[in-house]
Amino acid sequence: MIHSNFVNADVSVFESERAIAYSLEEIAWATNNFHESRKIGEGGYGSVYYGVIGEQRVAVKKKRSNKEFFAELKALCKINHINVVELLGYAAGNGHLYLVYEYIQNGSLSEHLHDPLLKGKQPLSWTARATIALDAAKGIEYIHDHTKSRCVHRDIKTSNILLAEGPRAKVAGFGLAKLVERTNEDDLIATSLVGTPGYLPPESVKELQVTTKTDVFAFGVVLAELITGQRALIRDNREPKRMKSLVSVVKRIFEDENPETALESIIDCNLGGNYPVVDVFKTAKIAAWCLSEDPCNRPEMREIVVELSQIVTSSIEWEASLGGDSQVFSGVFSGR
């Protein structure tokens, strides 16, 4: 049953899609009536609660905004890929809208990268990071190249990449997504600036242009975070009241007369010096490519997938050469 305050005109769009229309009672029962102890996330687009429907563990996003709700529903109803979080269903009632997802138990990449020990998490090994980067790239490539309508995510960031066992990554957070017909190759001009500071490319800020290259730029920032362990915006030590962009940090590496040395000085200390220098440098070069000022100079996601596949293979071989008892051995997440 869909409740009357759901926008009926829009609901008809989804009747033939995979998503299930849940009743509000089912959603409330699944989350213990949205009890505070069930809250597992909070963001600009709503709160997320842990729940159980039947035998399945789920994450329920509760939100007020119709526009973002339908953007996410339209995008995810058409997507079925191992590296994109699965939308199971939706519901509405009491002035709220609800999206029901598969539950991804290890939280976001952001939690595992930024001060992981303070959050009770083990730092990620280099091979785990490379694998996560490849998984996320495959998810983004899928929505760009392999869906009926091209999907521009518009909010790629480490908090929108979720980690399953393995660790394996899934792209989430489609509240700002735009579907663009493949017959229309023109750039999408947004009506307002949306996205997350630190991940926005110059053309989005200056001209509100949105293309798949918007996501590529943001993915470059994600790669920089995987390498450095730093956030997209970091406090400037010389001017504590100002924030500097990780984009500028990456660009400075390749302006240095010895980029390899410049890179090593900013690699995440949580790696404890355990990483294959050649593969980290190749990953940094991909990040810099993604962060090109001119979107025409940025790669397509399919090109990034090819490059990262080679890096993952090389990183696994490097790790294997150390022996399984090494502290850098990827393994799986310890239970949570």
Side-chain angles (χ1 to χ4, degrees), residues 148-150 180-186:
K148 187 178 177 185
S149 295
R150 179 177 280 116
V180 183
E181 293 305 319
R182 295 191 178 278
T183 51
N184 178 12
E185 293 302 322
D186 295 337

Side-chain angles (χ1 to χ4, degrees), residues 107-264:
S108 73
L109 174 57
S110 178
E111 294 173 283
H112 289 265
L113 271 185
H114 308 311
D115 303 316
L117 296 173
L118 292 178
K119 299 181 178 95
K121 301 185 186 301
Q122 288 302 307
L124 296 164
S125 72
W126 169 255
T127 305
R129 294 178 198 221
T131 304
I132 288 164
L134 176 58
D135 282 352
K138 285 178 177 177
I140 303 166
E141 180 207 10
Y142 179 80
I143 67 172
H144 285 183
D145 293 348
H146 301 291
T147 50
K148 187 178 177 185
S149 295
R150 179 177 280 116
C151 178
V152 183
H153 187 285
R154 297 206 297 172
D155 204 18
I156 296 295
K157 54 185 176 180
T158 52
S159 57
N160 278 337
I161 296 171
L162 303 182
L163 302 186
E165 288 299 329
R168 303 312 299 252
K170 292 176 182 268
V171 179
F174 282 76
L176 299 177
K178 285 286 182 190
L179 297 176
V180 183
E181 293 305 319
R182 295 191 178 278
T183 51
N184 178 12
E185 293 302 322
D186 295 337
D187 294 348
L188 173 68
I189 304 297
T191 53
S192 60
L193 181 62
V194 298
T196 301
Y199 295 89
L200 295 166
E203 71 276 10
S204 291
V205 176
K206 293 174 191 167
E207 300 156 21
L208 301 184
Q209 270 188 16
V210 179
T211 67
T212 52
K213 296 298 181 76
T214 307
D215 291 345
V216 171
F217 185 92
F219 185 73
V221 180
V222 169
L223 289 179
E225 288 182 77
L226 284 163
I227 292 166
T228 66
Q230 298 191 64
R231 297 180 186 277
L233 289 174
I234 46 187
R235 210 160 289 288
D236 193 328
N237 291 332
R238 288 169 294 185
E239 297 183 63
K241 290 184 179 176
R242 292 190 61 183
M243 302 294 280
K244 68 177 178 181
S245 163
L246 200 49
V247 174
S248 64
V249 174
V250 172
K251 289 189 173 175
R252 272 203 300 275
I253 292 167
F254 292 98
E255 290 165 0
D256 196 281
E257 57 187 39
N258 192 337
E260 287 91 345
T261 304
L263 174 64
E264 287 204 54

